[in-house]
Structures are given as C-alpha cells and as structure tokens.
C-alpha cells in the first residue's frame, strides 16, 4: 500500500503519540516461556507453519537526535486457522499491536513479549482470531537494536551529517523490525520512510537517485526475499550511473573514486548473465557506507552495501563486488532454507564469483584468487578441528542452540566452492553449467536444504551421467576429501620463491639495473598476500625494515595487504607497524581485518595491554558485529 505524504504524516503523528503510551493489554507469559525452551532449527520463534507473513509494509520515522526509529510493521499474513502469531524481536520496545487492514479501523489486540534469549531475542506472541490476515505492530528501536549503526558526523566522510545503516544477516533484522525472522519464509515488502530533508534514504528495494524536499521516501521490493535481506541506509548520499541498469551511491567526497573503481560493473553483470541466466532484480546498485561497516560487502538485493576499503585506487579488490553480484543468483534468488545450510548461499557464490573473474580477467587471476582463499580455508579447518565444534568443518552444519554467525566460516565459502569446482572437474564444465542453469530456474525465489540439493544433484546430473561421486563425504563429513581439485599458479610459485630467498637473507631488492627492481605495482594483491604469508614470523628487524623501505606495505592504501602486513609485524615485534596499525584499527571496522590483528595482539602480554588501551578509542567506531567479536577476544 502506497501512502501519500499527507496520509503518511498523519500516521506518524499517531505513531509518535502512541510511543508515549504504556502497552494497554497483556496476557499470561507462561506460553511464551515454554516457547523459549523448544529447539529452534531455524533460529526463530515464529510459527510460520500456522501463520506467516506474505507482505510487509513499514512506516518508519528515523530520528537521529534520539538515535531511534519509530515504526509500524504492517504484516499481511496467510493464516491457516491460527489463534496466535509469533514474531521475532530483539531489544525492541513494543507500543501496541492491532489487527486490521485500514489504519482508521484497526482493533487493538493482546500480545506478550516472552523471556529474552541472548541469541534469539524475544518471542512476541500476538492474539488473533482464525480469520486474521493483517497484524500491525507499533514499536521503536532502542540502544539494544544490534543491526543498526548510528554514526556521528565525525565518523563520516563529510563530517557534517550523521549516518545510519543496518546489517541484518544472519538474525539481526529482528532487532530493528518485528517480524518472522527466518530465511525459509520469503516475503515482499514496501516502506514509507521519513528522514531529515538534507539526507537520502535507501533500502534493499527500488531506490531514489536524489534527495527530495520533504525527506519522505517510498520503497517497493516486489520480489519475495528472506527477512535478513531487508536493509536501510540513510546519509548524505549522491548517485552516479555506471551502466544501463547499475550505478553507485556514496558520500560526495568519494563519488569520483567510486565511479573509477567500479567502472567495470556493467561487464560483470553481462558476464554473470551469460554464465548463469538472466539477472532477476532489474537494477543493481552499490552503496559505499562508512568505514565502520563490518563486512567487505553485503548482498542486499538491488543495493549491495559495501565498505570503502574496497576503494584501492587500482580496481584490485573488485572481486568483492563480483561476489556480492553473484549473490543475485545464489543466496538472494535461491536461498538456504536454514542457517545450517548456509554453504548453499556462500559456496555457490564464491564459485560464481570465481567464474566471473575468470571470464573477465583470465584464468590466472581467478586461480590466484582461489588459491589465497584456499590457504585461508586450510588454516581455519585446522583451527576448527582443534576447537570445541570440530563438526563445523562439515558443509551441512548443526547450529541449533548456537549463534548462526558461528557457521559463517571459510568452510561454507571456500570448502563449498571447492566442492563445486571438484564436481565441475568430474562432470565437465559444459555439463555442470547446464545443471547450474537448471538449478537456478528450478529453485528461483525458493529455499532449499542441503538434503534437497543432494537429491536434485543426483537426479539431474550424477545419475543421468552414471557418475559416482563422494557426495556424503563432501556434505556431511569432516575436513577436505582427498579428491578435492588442486589449483596451481606459476605466479604464486614465483612470488613465494622470492619470499623464501628474502627469509634466507638475500636482498631481493638489490639489482644491477633499475628496470629490474621489484615494485609493488608489478604484482597483484593476491601475489603480495602470498608473499607475506610465506615469510616466517621470526624475521630479523633489518629484513622487516628492508621490506618496509622498498614496498611500504604499512601505508600502501590497500587494506588487504596492510592488514596482512600488520599481523606479520606483530608476530615479528616490528614496532614500526604499530603507529599506522593504530590509525587503521581506529578507522576501519571491517571484521575480516580487525579480528586477526586483535587475535595476534593478545598473544603477547604487552601487546594485549596496548590493544585494550587502543580499543577504548576504537570500540564505538565498530558495528555491533565487530564489537562483539573483539569483546570476546579481549575478554571485555
């Protein structure tokens, strides 16, 4: 339902008035307590088999002064005779709940907020009659709304206006919207959002490309999506078109750099369509968020959220954008039914990302990207195997009773991709591509489990070709099977040989002719990562200084390389990295970089003291996701 500005304002006035009232009706809490005691394989309290949302409309007022969103979540539901609907919330303040389609004819109903679970949040149980199809939840966010990051002006590029963004995956959307927060229930949604008039609001939906005088924006997501993909960003944003159906948003100070960095986005879209079928979402845009964003990118449909660390100035980190674009097929179009099946999102996406990079930049580049990721997988497999949950090396996970974020490891991403690469090698690329197109067509805008994928794979690929394959081992057993495809790279071998020479005391930078001098720009990001990873953590201080003098990794502007160099610097007690590392840790909130640096710092008592002192300054610059990770590392 699309609201005119006049109607929308009247609703907001009513909403803000209601926010001052105490909840009028309560029911016995015992049923909700019993709900908490059950097992939740989908990490949700919701009773979607009895009643589930089909469309969600949001009326939102974004208040930067109070750092609060005042909202109404209007659920249009399919009811199979249920007398109650259970929604997921976490840290929200519920004002009232009503039934009915028209705002002026809503009838208030009973509800209860159950006991809180540190992972799942709280069940919100709403009384219905068996014919109820419209439920309206009036609420406001609080400081406990973990999905939201409210940034003061000094944490933005322009330093004049604040910024807000959300990060919902896996189960944090419930902390800013009351809903049935489960990936198996795909819904359409719309929204009317009021923000300060000098700011632009964006969502994972059809978006405006410029600000308006009223500061009121309407959004439509007409394709059904899982709840974790509902997202919002509000800030001083401008837009530049990159192609027929793609473009980029950023703060004004970054827009020219963004246009250069992501200029090849139209080629990526064409490549992906050629390989895997038509792009189903009409528009593909990117919004560059402030540095506190906890990930490199998040695949919110129609609008990828991205970290400015991707802007290296040389397009060397665009594989992250290829990854988020690939989610338009795997994850967004075809979705894991539960978080135990997370590899179906990410394993396929890493595989597709690699195919896009191969198509555009060649096999050599794609292989180097895959090798760097495989190195990370090998390390994490050993760490997991030695930890409390060794079965987390399986593709099919068992995360019941645990935070689904625990499954977001390189196992889902890289072991999943290596499984698909191994399958491709076994059946032949042409046959595998035909299968993949059939898979996306069959499960488009649907969800599935690992077991359902296994059956589909057997029926439509392995059995018709009479091919035996160790599926059970790949999907349900520990570690990497012995038939995992091997990837080789001469360029990696060469750069690793250079690192070994340096480690043995040879000055690789001393050459007779200037043209033969090793320069940073002559090698890719992945080659330098392999170089740094090959070096021992017992290098002489003079060797570290020699590398610094000739390659200046610590200030090169490429966050991937800088973070890797900082870790090696900590291991070698190379104090020259600490000042730039401090600036980096205060500025950048991307967890991929922050986590290994802090993990290395706490291994030494003096460095741990240094890290704790720095964290007092840096902590508020991080999103909840990164904060919670570092808090655990530092035992805060």
């Amino acid at each position: 339902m699309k609201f005119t500005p006049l109607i929308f304002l009247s609703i907001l006035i009513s909403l803000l008035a209601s926010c001052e009232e105490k909840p009028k009706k309560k029911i016995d809490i015992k049923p909700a307590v019993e709900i908490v005691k059950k097992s939740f394989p989908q990490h949700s309290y919701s009773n979607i088999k009895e009643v589930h949302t089909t469309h969600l409309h949001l009326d939102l007022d974004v208040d930067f002064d109070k750092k609060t969103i005042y909202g109404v979540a209007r659920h249009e539901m399919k009811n199979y005779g249920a007398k109650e609907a259970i929604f997921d919330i976490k840290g929200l303040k519920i004002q009232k709940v009503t039934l009915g389609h028209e705002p002026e004819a809503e009838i208030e109903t009973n509800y209860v907020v159950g006991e809180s679970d540190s992972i799942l949040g709280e069940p919100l149980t709403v009384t219905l009659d068996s014919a109820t199809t419209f439920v309206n939840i009036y609420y406001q966010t609080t400081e406990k709304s973990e999905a939201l990051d409210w940034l003061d002006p000094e944490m933005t590029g322009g330093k004049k206006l604040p910024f807000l963004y959300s990060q919902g995956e896996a189960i944090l959307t419930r902390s800013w919207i009351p809903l049935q927060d489960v990936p198996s229930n795909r819904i359409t949604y719309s929204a009317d959002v009021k923000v300060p008039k000098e700011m632009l609001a964006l969502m994972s939906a059809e978006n405006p490309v410029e600000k308006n005088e009223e500061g009121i924006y309407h959004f439509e997501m007409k394709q059904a999506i899982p709840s974790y993909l509902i997202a919002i960003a509000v800030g001083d944003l401008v837009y530049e078109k990159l192609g027929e159906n793609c473009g980029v948003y950023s703060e004004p100070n970054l827009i020219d750099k963004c246009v250069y960095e992501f200029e090849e986005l139209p080629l990526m879209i064409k490549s992906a369509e050629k390989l895997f079928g038509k792009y189903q979402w009409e528009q593909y845009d990117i919004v560059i968020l402030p540095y506190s964003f906890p990930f490199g990118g998040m695949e919110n449909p129609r609008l990828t959220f991205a970290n400015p660390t991707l802007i290296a100035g040389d397009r060397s980190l665009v594989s992250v954008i290829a990854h988020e674009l690939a989610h338009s097929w795997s994850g967004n179009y075809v979705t894991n039914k539960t978080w135990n099946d997370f590899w179906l999102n990410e394993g396929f996406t890493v595989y597709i990302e690699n195919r896009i990079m191969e198509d555009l930049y060649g096999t050599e580049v794609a292989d180097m990207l895959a090798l760097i990721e495989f190195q990370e997988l090998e390390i994490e497999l050993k760490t997991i195997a030695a930890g409390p949950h060794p079965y987390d090396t399986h593709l099919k996970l068992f995360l019941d009773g645990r935070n689904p974020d625990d499954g977001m490891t390189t196992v889902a991403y890289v072991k999943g991709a290596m499984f698909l690469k191994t399958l491709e090698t076994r059946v032949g690329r042409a046959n595998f591509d035909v299968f993949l197109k059939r898979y996306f067509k069959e499960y488009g805008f649907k969800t599935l489990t690992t077991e359902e994928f296994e059956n589909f794979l057997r029926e439509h690929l392995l059995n018709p070709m009479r091919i035996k394959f160790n599926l059970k081992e790949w999907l349900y057993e520990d570690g990497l099977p012995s038939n995992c495809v091997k990837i080789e790279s001469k360029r990696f071998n060469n750069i690793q040989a250079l690192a070994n020479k340096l480690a043995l005391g040879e000055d690789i930078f001393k050459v007779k002719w200037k043209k033969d001098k090793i320069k940073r720009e002559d090698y890719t990001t992945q080659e330098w990562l392999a170089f740094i990873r090959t070096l021992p953590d017992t290098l002489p201080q003079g060797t570290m200084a020699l590398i610094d003098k000739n390659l200046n990794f610590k200030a090169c502007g490429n966050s991937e390389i800088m973070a890797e160099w900082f870790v090696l610097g900590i291991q070698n007690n190379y104090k020259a990295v600490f000042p730039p590392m401090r600036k980096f840790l205060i500025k950048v909130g991307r967890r991929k970089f922050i986590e290994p640096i802090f993990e290395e710092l706490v291994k030494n008592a003096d460095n741990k003291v240094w890290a704790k002192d720095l964290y007092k300054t840096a902590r508020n610059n991080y999103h909840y996701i990164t904060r919670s990770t570092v808090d655990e590392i530092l035992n805060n």
Side-chain angles (χ1 to χ4, degrees):
M1 177 178 181
K2 185 172 181 177
F3 290 86
T4 65
L6 189 59
I7 294 175
F8 177 67
L9 286 173
S10 69
I11 291 170
L12 284 176
I13 291 169
S14 172
L15 168 61
L16 292 173
S18 73
C19 288
E20 302 302 321
E21 300 174 1
K22 293 182 178 180
K24 293 182 177 180
K25 300 187 179 182
K26 294 274 186 176
I27 59 175
D28 187 6
I29 199 170
K30 290 181 180 178
V33 173
E34 292 304 313
I35 291 166
V36 178
K37 296 178 181 178
K38 295 179 181 178
S39 175
F40 298 97
Q42 297 205 52
H43 295 90
S44 170
Y45 296 109
S46 59
N47 56 337
I48 58 172
K49 291 183 179 179
E50 288 78 40
V51 55
H52 65 87
T53 303
T54 58
H55 180 80
L56 172 66
H57 179 78
L58 299 168
D59 292 318
L60 305 176
D61 184 3
V62 180
D63 188 332
F64 278 94
D65 292 333
K66 296 181 179 179
K67 295 186 177 180
T68 300
I69 295 178
Y70 299 93
V72 188
R74 302 185 181 279
H75 293 265
E76 183 176 350
M77 310 192 79
K78 177 72 174 177
N79 190 342
Y80 301 97
K83 295 296 184 68
E84 64 180 23
I86 306 172
F87 301 89
D88 298 298
I89 63 173
K90 193 174 187 184
L92 295 177
K93 185 176 181 180
I94 304 301
Q95 301 300 331
K96 66 178 180 179
V97 183
T98 68
L99 308 179
H101 184 33
E102 299 298 330
E104 61 274 11
E106 293 174 18
I107 300 172
E108 196 166 345
T109 189
N110 296 330
Y111 71 91
V112 63
V113 176
E115 289 185 356
S116 181
D117 177 85
S118 61
I119 296 172
L120 299 179
E122 304 83 42
L124 171 64
T125 303
V126 175
T127 300
L128 315 175
D129 62 53
S130 58
T132 300
T133 55
F134 288 92
V135 177
N136 312 292
I137 304 170
Y138 290 70
Y139 71 99
Q140 67 185 72
T141 63
T142 70
E143 68 281 357
K144 296 179 180 179
S145 295
E146 296 163 346
L148 301 180
D149 202 4
W150 298 89
L151 304 179
D152 294 330
E154 57 266 24
M155 290 182 62
T156 69
K159 311 296 183 186
K160 294 180 180 179
L161 294 172
F163 205 104
L164 166 68
Y165 67 85
S166 66
Q167 173 53 42
E169 192 182 32
I171 56 170
L172 295 183
T173 302
R174 66 189 66 180
S175 74
W176 76 282
I177 305 170
L179 40 55
Q180 296 174 310
D181 194 10
V182 54
S184 61
N185 187 48
R186 301 179 69 111
I187 63 174
T188 56
Y189 85 91
S190 55
D192 289 288
V193 181
K194 186 177 187 303
V195 302
K197 63 181 180 180
E198 65 271 24
M199 305 178 82
L200 181 66
L202 304 172
M203 294 191 77
S204 51
E206 294 181 23
N207 277 300
V209 295
E210 59 185 8
K211 302 169 187 173
N212 63 44
E213 293 183 359
E214 295 80 22
I216 297 173
Y217 299 92
H218 180 76
F219 301 92
E220 296 276 352
M221 170 48 74
K222 297 175 182 177
Q223 293 94 337
I225 61 173
S227 55
Y228 71 86
L229 292 176
I230 302 174
I232 189 170
V234 182
D236 182 16
L237 293 163
V238 294
Y239 180 77
E240 285 290 339
K241 191 173 181 179
L242 296 174
E244 182 180 352
N245 65 333
C246 61
V248 60
Y249 296 88
S250 79
E251 293 185 78
N253 66 300
L254 279 180
I255 194 65
D256 290 340
K257 292 181 180 178
C258 291
V259 170
Y260 172 79
E261 204 78 18
F262 307 124
E263 185 180 43
E264 294 174 335
L265 180 58
L267 297 177
M268 286 188 177
I269 295 172
K270 289 179 181 178
S271 173
E273 286 190 317
K274 176 180 66 177
L275 293 168
F276 304 109
K278 182 176 172 56
Y279 179 75
Q280 298 291 328
W281 307 88
E282 290 90 40
Q283 185 74 15
Y284 182 82
D285 292 323
I286 304 165
V287 57
I288 301 298
L289 302 178
Y291 281 94
S292 67
F293 186 56
F295 302 125
M298 177 61 204
E299 66 271 16
N300 301 312
R302 299 181 65 106
L303 185 66
T304 283
F305 282 20
N307 193 294
T309 56
L310 302 187
I311 304 171
D314 58 3
R315 301 173 182 160
S316 61
L317 303 179
V318 294
S319 64
V320 174
I321 297 301
H323 181 94
E324 305 311 331
L325 172 64
H327 269 300
S328 302
W329 285 264
S330 54
N332 297 5
Y333 187 41
V334 179
T335 306
N336 49 227
K337 186 167 285 185
T338 79
W339 295 111
N340 292 330
D341 307 293
F342 182 59
W343 82 271
L344 287 169
N345 278 22
E346 295 296 350
F348 272 88
T349 298
V350 172
Y351 174 83
I352 296 171
E353 167 202 339
N354 198 255
R355 292 287 302 276
I356 293 171
M357 296 301 289
E358 178 186 325
D359 185 53
L360 292 181
Y361 305 109
T363 301
E364 194 171 50
V365 169
D367 284 349
M368 287 192 290
L369 285 164
L371 272 172
I372 280 294
E373 293 169 338
F374 189 75
Q375 288 178 351
E376 294 163 0
L377 173 64
E378 289 181 308
I379 294 169
E380 189 147 29
L381 285 173
K382 292 177 182 177
T383 302
I384 293 173
H389 303 288
Y391 43 84
D392 283 356
T393 64
H394 302 186
L395 287 179
K396 175 72 177 190
L397 296 171
F398 184 77
L399 297 170
D400 296 6
R402 297 168 58 196
N403 194 319
D405 283 359
D406 290 353
M408 295 184 179
T409 70
T410 54
V411 174
Y413 290 75
V414 186
K415 181 180 176 180
M418 296 307 292
F419 163 57
L420 297 175
K421 282 178 177 289
T422 304
L423 266 176
E424 175 203 306
T425 302
R426 182 72 178 85
V427 304
R429 176 168 283 189
N431 292 322
F432 196 55
D433 283 355
V434 170
F435 167 77
L436 287 178
K437 288 181 179 178
R438 183 169 190 169
Y439 168 71
F440 289 126
K441 184 176 181 180
E442 175 73 20
Y443 285 100
F445 297 112
K446 298 177 185 176
T447 63
L448 78 161
T449 64
T450 300
E451 292 80 4
E452 289 169 324
F453 171 77
E454 179 189 357
N455 292 336
F456 187 82
L457 178 63
R458 291 187 189 279
E459 180 180 354
H460 297 290
L461 184 62
L462 298 181
N463 291 347
M465 295 186 68
R466 298 182 179 179
I467 287 178
K468 291 183 178 181
F469 192 85
N470 53 333
L471 270 183
K472 297 290 186 184
E473 184 183 5
W474 271 101
L475 298 175
Y476 309 113
E477 295 183 17
D478 298 346
L480 274 177
S482 59
N483 67 330
C484 180
V485 67
K486 302 295 189 294
I487 303 172
E488 297 289 341
S489 169
K490 289 183 179 179
R491 288 174 63 171
F492 258 41
N493 294 339
N494 291 339
I495 199 75
Q496 288 170 327
L498 270 179
N500 286 325
K501 287 180 180 180
L502 186 65
L504 291 172
E506 182 177 333
D507 184 354
I508 62 172
F509 303 105
K510 189 176 182 180
V511 291
K512 186 174 182 179
W513 305 105
K514 189 174 181 180
K515 65 181 178 63
D516 297 325
K517 184 176 175 63
I518 295 172
K519 298 184 289 295
R520 199 177 65 232
E521 59 268 25
D522 291 339
Y523 296 86
T524 68
T525 296
Q526 288 68 41
E527 285 172 292
W528 285 128
L529 294 179
F531 176 84
I532 296 170
R533 290 176 185 180
T534 303
L535 295 169
D537 56 6
T538 55
L539 279 176
Q541 296 290 296
T543 304
M544 293 291 291
L546 184 66
I547 299 170
D548 230 354
K549 177 183 177 181
N550 286 277
L551 298 174
N552 194 25
F553 287 147
K554 69 179 185 292
C556 67
N558 184 312
S559 297
E560 294 275 355
I561 295 173
M562 291 169 70
E564 203 80 33
W565 180 246
F566 292 151
V567 169
L568 185 69
I570 298 165
Q571 292 169 341
N572 282 281
N573 197 30
Y574 181 57
K575 295 302 182 182
V577 303
F578 278 71
M581 181 169 62
R582 178 181 176 84
K583 291 180 181 179
F584 184 88
L585 291 171
I586 290 172
K587 179 180 181 180
V588 175
R590 187 173 167 187
R591 187 172 64 173
K592 174 186 178 182
F593 303 143
I594 302 304
E595 183 176 8
I597 292 174
F598 275 102
E599 284 181 338
E600 200 61 45
L601 284 167
V602 299
K603 293 178 182 179
N604 173 282
D606 291 339
N607 288 344
K608 186 173 182 179
V609 172
W610 184 88
K612 280 180 169 285
D613 181 68
L614 174 144
Y615 192 48
K616 293 174 185 176
T617 302
R619 189 176 189 277
N620 288 337
N621 297 352
Y622 298 162
H623 184 275
Y624 162 80
I625 290 171
T626 303
R627 283 201 310 271
S628 60
T629 297
V630 181
D631 283 349
E632 186 174 347
I633 294 170
L634 296 178
N635 296 316
N636 272 18

